[in-house]
Amino acid sequence: MDKLKLCHLYPDLLNLYGDRGNIISMQKRLEWRGISLELTEISVGNDFIADSYDIVFIGGGQDFEQEILLTDLSEEKKKNIRYAVKSGVVFLAICGGYQLLGTHYKNWNDIQYDFTGAIDIHTIGHKKRMIGDFTFKCSDSALAGLTVAGFENHSGKTYLGGAVKPLGEIIKGSGNNGEDQTAGARYKNVFCSYSHGPLLPKNPVLCDYILKTALIRKYGDYNLSVLNDSAEIAAGNYIIKKLK
Amino acid sequence: MKISIIIANIVTRISTFLLRIIGSGGTSLPGKAGMVFKRNLLQLLSNNIKVVLITGTNGKTTTSRIIAEIMKKAGFTYFENKSGANLISGITASFSLNSTLTGNPKYDYAVIECDEAAFKTVCPMIKPHTIVVTNLFRDQLDRFGEITHTLNNIFIGIKASSDSVVVLNADDSLSFSLAETISNKIILFGLDSPPHGSDSDFLSDAPYCIRCKAPYTYEYRTYAHLGKFFCSNCGYHRHQPAISAGNTTLLQNSSKIDLVIHSQVYSCLLALPGAYNIYNALSAVAAADSFLIKHEVIVAALSSFNSGFGRMEILDLDGTAAHMILVKNPAGLNQVINFLSTDSTRKLLVLILNDNYADGTDISWIWDANFEKIKSFSDTLDKIIVSGIRAEELKIRLKYAEFDENEIILEKNYKKLINFIVSDTADSIPVYILPTYTAMFDFRKALSKKYKIRKFWK
Ligand SMILES: [Zn+2]
């Protein structure tokens, strides 16, 4: 039986509303195809060994929890996360987890927090939050302009460096910063989004694309059997239609 | 000066009356209208009433109802802000409707539940005799922001009312932290041991110390992040509450507890299910204690209490018992799921999810709730139905909890849904309806077109 290993990074700190939905979605969509998912939780005080995992999931957090996390994020841990990204491990990073993969976060008091620097993005804090349902069109050619629906709730504005592509282009909503129409980030096998909570359940095509990326990296060319996604697509379409 | 109170009171009453005539359960408009004529109307109207003000994430309504029941048994005259009118406008309207035109109170006491975000404005105006903070959980991040933000709002409200007695949950490391920052008289409540009879979920909103950010250790946990917590880094810990429950056993529709009030023990049957309701009852007992109500009266009221609006209400639909339980966040829903899992009778389950402002526009939380546990007792479910604005999301949540998607019925039309419930339960299978806030109002409205059910504003 084929198997993927997923590391949930800081599950007790970065666990904003519904992030678990993404793991449930990946797990079930693999199980329904006879592929198992082994789940490891790595949090404060645990070492992160880069080449032990096929997928790393990092969710979103509140400020209080992010401060705890910063004290745990040693140079060693940062280095291992950078190495994992460089060697092609699949990452799905949401909100706070997305920011964590970047170089730094500067809050609106101009205090700078250094993050992992695994991808060339940075975030500037703002007082005004960007909240609400949003939609974007995926940029990866393999996804052929797929429309993704989610819910964003962030005050940080994220800006992408040259080597980092956006995950998609905003249709309705704010996206990375409310300025340049970009939504999320793509770099090597890293997928980032401000769509907090259950991004994958109602976007099954994106979920399968991420899973397939991990399966191909591990097993070579890989064929994922087709599932009936009408219920998932109906849930996404509700948002897409509402925002039209 | 008096004349403006009279005008404000008249305006409030006329608009309330008009809203009733047009059949709306709206409860905030009249208060807003009244406040236009008298800015500090609430302050003036609450001046000569002893108020108990209840806030916190979960259990506000049930706690209010229990306090009212105890007051009734104690022979107090009081009024309540029923129907969930718990923002400043709704609370103002309640005071207006329960005073004379010239602004004199008709009652000695008032039991008022207050939204956490509105608390910092309402509390300084009312200056309550007693403040109850039931607990703090993560709730509607889009509306309330972070938990620490809500905590700060409550702190601001209490700070402006230094003579109030404050009732706090000793087992909740979040709201208990208020104890260190306020100078008020405090009465604590909590569970002295974990309850028997139901396995709990420990989805924690607060694994790390609110003071120093080190992880907590627990001697025991009751549910979610509640329990006997201790931080070995900074020493922050649960304090022994004056009002507590020991020896607790959760039964099908009730709970058995040894109720401790200032070291006196009373064996007590609480006519409400679930650990969360034991907390609600204890906080009500603590509030009653702040009014020096006799222990015997408190114990008698607890056993005779029937649940409040929407939280666990049983409606009779031509012989079909419809149990309506409001759900709004994962901790609350998990408690309801635990309760349902102990009930082996065949039933119909209806989940209704809305994403209006009052529900929270962010429905992500359903992915944190333990729908997998619903699957574990699915053999007791005759049918499972999803409804509301976001019914599609509920359907996939159930699908990913391994329900067969073809067996999940999606019906957004309330009229059809009601017909389905009643016809399907002709052989008197009870139905459990779990709506979010606005869904509960909408669904009740649809029900009241067909059945005689209690009006919202009563
Ligand atoms: Zn501590």
Side-chain angles (χ1 to χ4, degrees), chain B residues 65-357:
Chain B
R65 295 299 91 85
I66 302 174
I67 294 172
E69 178 77 17
I70 298 172
M71 285 189 168
K72 191 160 92 191
K73 280 258 178 346
F76 288 17
T77 68
Y78 66 91
F79 73 91
E80 304 169 72
N81 63 330
K82 280 197 179 175
S83 40
N86 62 7
L87 301 174
I88 185 160
S89 46
I91 292 171
T92 304
S94 295
F95 274 91
S96 171
L97 297 173
N98 289 291
S99 68
T100 64
L101 267 190
T102 52
N104 291 319
K106 290 184 195 164
Y107 303 97
D108 299 330
Y109 297 85
V111 182
I112 305 294
E113 76 160 84
C114 180
D115 176 83
E116 305 91 281
F119 182 81
K120 70 172 174 188
T121 322
V122 170
C123 187
M125 292 183 127
I126 292 183
K127 296 209 184 311
H129 178 280
T130 303
I131 297 164
V132 178
V133 184
T134 56
N135 50 50
L136 278 181
F137 288 95
R138 281 212 302 222
D139 188 23
Q140 300 183 18
L141 288 162
D142 55 316
R143 237 188 98 207
F144 294 120
E146 302 204 3
I147 282 182
T148 46
H149 182 76
T150 303
L151 196 58
N152 196 44
N153 276 349
I154 295 175
F155 170 70
I156 292 169
I158 295 177
K159 215 174 155 232
S161 188
S162 55
D163 291 334
S164 304
V165 178
V166 178
V167 171
L168 291 177
N169 188 334
D171 297 352
D172 171 17
S173 58
L174 290 169
S175 58
F176 174 69
S177 69
L178 288 164
E180 305 189 321
T181 57
I182 56 175
S183 53
N184 303 55
K185 178 177 189 250
I186 294 171
I187 305 177
L188 296 178
F189 65 94
L191 263 67
D192 287 334
S193 52
H196 302 288
S198 169
D199 53 332
S200 284
D201 87 278
F202 295 125
L203 177 82
S204 179
D205 287 345
Y208 293 90
C209 178
I210 190 158
R211 281 208 329 209
C212 76
K213 301 187 167 71
Y216 288 119
T217 46
Y218 282 87
E219 196 175 308
Y220 57 84
R221 291 172 76 167
T222 53
Y223 75 93
H225 65 279
L226 308 187
K228 190 167 184 181
F229 63 89
F230 177 72
C231 172
S232 52
N233 187 48
C234 75
Y236 177 51
H237 65 282
R238 173 192 191 261
H239 287 208
Q240 178 57 43
I243 310 295
S244 67
N247 240 335
T248 60
T249 307
L250 303 174
L251 305 167
Q252 176 55 42
N253 283 306
S254 60
S255 314
K256 263 173 29 189
I257 61 172
D258 283 349
L259 174 65
V260 184
I261 310 176
H262 300 292
S263 2
Q264 298 209 48
V265 186
Y266 303 87
S267 181
C268 184
L269 186 74
L270 180 66
L272 285 168
Y276 61 110
N277 275 321
I278 298 180
Y279 279 105
N280 294 335
L282 292 174
S283 66
V285 171
D289 182 55
S290 78
F291 292 103
L292 307 173
I293 295 174
K294 283 202 185 98
H295 298 180
E296 295 71 30
V297 174
I298 293 174
V299 174
L302 285 192
S303 350
S304 67
F305 176 76
N306 280 316
S307 38
F309 174 69
R311 269 60 180 181
M312 173 67 94
E313 181 179 41
I314 306 175
L315 306 169
D316 176 15
L317 313 178
D318 282 350
T320 295
H323 301 247
M324 183 114 83
I325 314 174
L326 176 79
V327 293
K328 52 176 194 147
N329 51 35
L333 178 53
N334 283 349
Q335 286 290 311
V336 176
I337 291 171
N338 274 342
F339 160 70
L340 291 175
S341 73
T342 61
D343 173 18
S344 57
T345 51
R346 275 197 88 65
K347 61 180 95 53
L348 210 70
L349 183 61
V350 183
L351 298 152
I352 315 181
L353 178 66
N354 275 2
D355 64 356
N356 293 318
Y357 177 74

Side-chain angles (χ1 to χ4, degrees), chain A residues 129-140:
Chain A
R129 295 193 80 81
M130 293 164 261
I131 304 184
D133 294 315
F134 78 126
T135 50
F136 62 87
K137 201 170 274 297
C138 284
S139 304
D140 280 39

Side-chain angles (χ1 to χ4, degrees), chain A residues 68-80:
Chain A
I68 299 171
L69 183 153
L70 277 167
T71 59
D72 179 69
L73 202 60
S74 62
E75 284 311 315
E76 180 71 12
K77 234 173 185 168
K78 287 182 188 174
K79 198 181 82 193
N80 287 342

